[in-house]
């Protein structure tokens, strides 16, 4: 379904713990993105990557880290430095540098308990 | 960087009426303008897009217009149906996608 998969769908984390969200795509897309969505809010860019082994900070990168060791994978780590991590996280990919359709994963809902 | 504004934040229309959502952007380098529909708890999905070399594009009941000079673009939905109820996001894209804050559309039967 769209060729981009996020896991898990729901994730619970204790305060002070790091947690990694998975994003995998089989669309052969160069670009991948991570967005955060809070209830009733829009999509805010956390990090993006235009090519393997390279990534850039988005508008709200503090408290998050990413890696892009493989074209297919763009995992997001939510660190203990993120003060308010409870949110819906969406991963997306596109073929080009933001000038072609972005396909979204089904999202991961992270809750801090 | 790019900044995208979107209005209105909520919109209620009667079934069969038209709905219009407007967006403005700040970066003249942006050249791709997609619109996404997100139903509750689901992923955003592309419904229509337009590139900077085109002024208008239509797909059945949905149309998008772009004014590059004024840096604004709009989504038009005609003959609205209850299944059109969702949150709609515009985006402006050059190097990456910057989304507007969204419009919650409710189509009342």
């Amino acid at each position: 379904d769209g060729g981009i998969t996020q896991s898990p769908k729901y994730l619970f984390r204790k305060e002070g713990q790091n947690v990694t969200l998975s994003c995998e795509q089989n669309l052969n897309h160069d670009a991948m993105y991570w967005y955060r969505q809070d209830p009733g809010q829009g999509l805010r860019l956390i990090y993006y990557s235009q090519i393997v082994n390279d990534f850039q900070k988005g508008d709200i990168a503090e408290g998050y880290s990413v890696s892009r060791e493989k074209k297919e994978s763009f995992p997001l780590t939510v660190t203990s430095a993120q003060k308010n991590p409870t949110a819906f996280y969406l991963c997306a990919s596109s073929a080009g540098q933001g000038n072609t359709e972005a396909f979204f994963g089904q999202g991961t809902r992270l809750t801090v308990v | 960087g790019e900044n995208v504004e979107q209005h209105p934040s909520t919109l209620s229309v009667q079934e069969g009426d038209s709905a219009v959502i407007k967006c403005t952007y700040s970066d003249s380098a942006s050249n791709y303008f997609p619109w996404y529909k997100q139903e509750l708890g689901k992923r955003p999905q592309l419904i229509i897009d337009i590139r900077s070399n085109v002024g208008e594009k239509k797909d059945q009941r949905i149309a998008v217009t772009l004014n590059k000079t004024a840096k604004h673009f709009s989504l038009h939905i005609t003959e609205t149906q209850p299944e059109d109820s969702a949150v709609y996001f515009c985006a402006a894209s050059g190097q990456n996608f910057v989304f507007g804050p969204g419009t919650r559309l409710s189509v009342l039967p």
Side-chain angles (χ1 to χ4, degrees):
Chain A
D1 184 12
I4 179 166
T5 303
Q6 289 184 241
S7 61
K9 190 172 182 180
Y10 299 97
L11 189 56
F12 296 88
R13 188 194 94 175
K14 292 183 179 179
E15 283 190 21
Q17 288 183 337
N18 292 356
V19 64
T20 297
L21 282 58
S22 170
C23 180
E24 303 277 334
Q25 54 97 2
N26 61 5
L27 300 168
N28 199 34
H29 284 171
D30 286 316
M32 297 187 75
Y33 313 84
W34 274 105
Y35 292 91
R36 170 179 171 143
Q37 187 174 33
D38 293 286
Q41 302 296 313
L43 306 172
R44 292 187 290 168
L45 183 65
I46 305 172
Y47 269 97
Y48 65 100
S49 169
Q50 303 286 10
I51 197 169
V52 174
N53 292 322
D54 186 50
F55 48 83
Q56 307 295 329
K57 291 182 178 180
D59 298 322
I60 56 166
E62 185 175 352
Y64 300 97
S65 65
V66 293
S67 63
R68 187 82 188 278
E69 297 177 0
K70 298 187 299 182
K71 189 175 187 178
E72 303 80 24
S73 178
F74 191 41
L76 173 73
T77 296
V78 184
T79 74
S80 57
Q82 170 50 234
K83 300 304 180 186
N84 185 20
T86 295
F88 187 53
Y89 291 87
L90 284 160
C91 178
S93 70
S94 68
Q97 288 190 357
N99 57 1
T100 58
E101 179 182 356
F103 293 84
F104 284 86
Q106 73 271 35
T108 293
R109 189 167 299 280
L110 173 64
T111 303
V112 174
V113 297
Chain B
E2 177 65 274
N3 180 51
V4 178
E5 296 185 356
Q6 183 173 348
H7 299 280
S9 57
T10 60
L11 179 61
S12 294
V13 300
Q14 290 294 134
E15 183 176 356
D17 287 350
S18 295
V20 180
I21 303 171
K22 299 181 178 182
C23 288
T24 61
Y25 63 99
S26 60
D27 189 351
S28 56
S30 291
N31 57 12
Y32 176 62
F33 306 92
W35 286 87
Y36 285 81
K37 176 183 180 181
Q38 187 180 29
E39 297 177 357
L40 189 63
K42 296 189 176 181
R43 74 184 83 190
Q45 293 196 307
L46 181 75
I47 56 171
I48 196 167
D49 57 12
I50 192 167
R51 299 184 187 282
S52 58
N53 58 346
V54 175
E56 184 173 357
K57 184 177 178 180
K58 189 173 182 179
D59 183 4
Q60 299 183 342
R61 296 187 297 111
I62 296 173
V64 59
T65 59
L66 171 65
N67 184 327
K68 280 276 288 184
T69 303
K71 296 194 186 71
H72 64 70
F73 55 113
S74 301
L75 177 72
H76 304 252
I77 306 174
T78 59
E79 300 172 25
T80 53
Q81 301 167 4
E83 52 265 39
D84 294 330
S85 296
V87 178
Y88 291 81
F89 294 99
C90 63
S93 180
Q95 195 172 31
N96 60 61
F97 292 87
V98 177
F99 287 84
T103 296
R104 182 173 299 278
L105 174 64
S106 299
V107 179
L108 308 174

